[in-house]
Amino acid sequence: MQQIRCVLIGILLLVASCKKDNYYKDSGAHDPHFKGSTLDYLDATPFYFDSVAAVVRLAGMEEVFKSDTLTFFAPTDISILRLIKDLNYNLYSQGYDTVKVLSDVPSAIWQNYLEMYMFHGANQLKDYPQIDYGLIAIYPGQGYLSWNGTPMNIGVIYNDDNGVKYVGYRQLTLAYIPDPARPRDNWYMVHVASSNILTDNGVVHTLDVNHLFFGFDQNRFAADMKAVMQSGG
């Protein structure tokens, strides 16, 4: 089955990961139009999104990625590899069975964390407000609820150029807000490496490979996995 193409997590991207860093350095010029759905785009770029596409299918979100109007901040496969490695270390150290294939993770868990990167509508870089992480009170970006209602912040960094503030290139950022009661504290922030890829049903913004863990909080992911195992699910 296609959704189980990533058979052994240990070799998921081990050979390719070093080469990927060269592709996602900045938001250089590229053809923003892709003829196909958002899922088609992921499938057409397996070197970067093979595991991500598999997670979409395992999460039961295939039709959403084919037909719903969607803005997707796409993590790369390397973030899934890092997550599974960290998860398995956590599980093994506490006597739990480890994850051998992506399908060992329940569909509901994949869906919950995948939806953190998904937003209704088709929004390009120009549709988001400015953020300055040094002057967050003045340029705070904006809070958004992801597909499953998770509080997130999205903003555009206006970089400096030759010492002149805010006239340089612009770069999207996505941040997970772990505590809605403290909406400006302890963000898990990641830069967008390539923005405004237009598909037939939305927009894809590719996250930088320095996004460490799919789902942002690897400890929360591990806790969810252990809860399922303890319940016998």
Side-chain angles (χ1 to χ4, degrees), residues 166-228:
Y166 305 143
V167 300
Y169 74 93
R170 300 182 180 184
Q171 185 175 30
L172 266 173
T173 64
L174 175 70
Y176 164 51
I177 303 171
D179 185 357
R182 301 164 62 192
R184 291 190 180 176
D185 295 343
N186 304 314
W187 289 2
Y188 293 72
M189 189 273 284
V190 59
H191 292 92
V192 167
S194 184
S195 58
N196 292 355
I197 300 161
L198 309 180
T199 69
D200 288 350
N201 64 307
V203 182
V204 177
H205 306 294
T206 300
L207 299 183
D208 192 275
V209 293
N210 290 324
H211 176 39
L212 287 179
F213 299 109
F214 179 88
F216 292 89
D217 187 345
Q218 76 277 21
N219 294 320
R220 178 170 165 250
F221 194 99
D224 286 348
M225 279 295 296
K226 284 182 276 191
V228 169

Side-chain angles (χ1 to χ4, degrees), residues 10 39 69 109 113 127 141 147 174:
L39 184 57
T69 303
I109 292 181
Y113 287 89
D127 298 314
W147 202 270
L174 175 70

Side-chain angles (χ1 to χ4, degrees), residues 6-185:
C6 304
V7 183
L8 295 176
I9 297 302
I11 60 171
L12 197 59
L13 284 175
L14 203 54
V15 175
S17 60
C18 61
K19 296 181 181 179
K20 295 184 181 186
D21 292 341
N22 296 327
Y23 180 80
Y24 292 105
K25 287 299 183 185
D26 58 39
S27 300
H30 57 83
D31 183 359
H33 298 280
F34 176 81
K35 295 180 180 179
S37 69
T38 297
L39 184 57
D40 291 333
Y41 174 73
L42 299 179
D43 287 335
T45 322
F47 189 70
Y48 304 104
F49 302 120
D50 185 65
S51 299
V52 177
V55 165
V56 168
R57 293 181 167 91
L58 289 167
M61 303 295 287
E62 187 172 356
E63 289 305 314
V64 172
F65 275 73
K66 285 182 177 180
S67 58
D68 284 36
T69 303
L70 167 71
T71 299
F72 184 46
F73 286 79
T76 57
D77 287 351
I78 192 67
S79 68
I80 296 178
L81 172 62
R82 293 188 187 115
L83 173 68
I84 297 300
K85 283 186 174 180
D86 187 89
L87 172 65
N88 280 342
Y89 178 82
N90 191 314
L91 294 176
Y92 180 79
S93 66
Q94 298 187 36
Y96 292 92
D97 291 336
T98 56
V99 170
K100 303 298 190 302
V101 293
L102 296 179
S103 57
D104 287 343
V105 177
S107 174
I109 292 181
W110 280 133
Q111 181 177 341
N112 184 49
Y113 287 89
L114 177 67
E115 289 183 350
M116 296 174 71
Y117 301 93
M118 300 164 54
F119 297 85
H120 293 279
N123 295 313
Q124 300 182 45
L125 182 149
K126 65 181 178 60
D127 298 314
Y128 293 109
Q130 182 178 359
I131 191 166
D132 184 333
Y133 283 90
L135 294 170
I136 203 74
I138 300 174
Y139 300 110
Q142 185 171 326
Y144 296 86
L145 295 179
S146 71
W147 202 270
N148 62 359
T150 300
M152 309 291 286
N153 181 281
I154 304 174
V156 180
I157 295 174
Y158 288 39
N159 286 277
D160 301 343
D161 186 33
N162 292 324
V164 181
K165 287 186 72 64
Y166 305 143
V167 300
Y169 74 93
R170 300 182 180 184
Q171 185 175 30
L172 266 173
T173 64
L174 175 70
Y176 164 51
I177 303 171
D179 185 357
R182 301 164 62 192
R184 291 190 180 176
D185 295 343

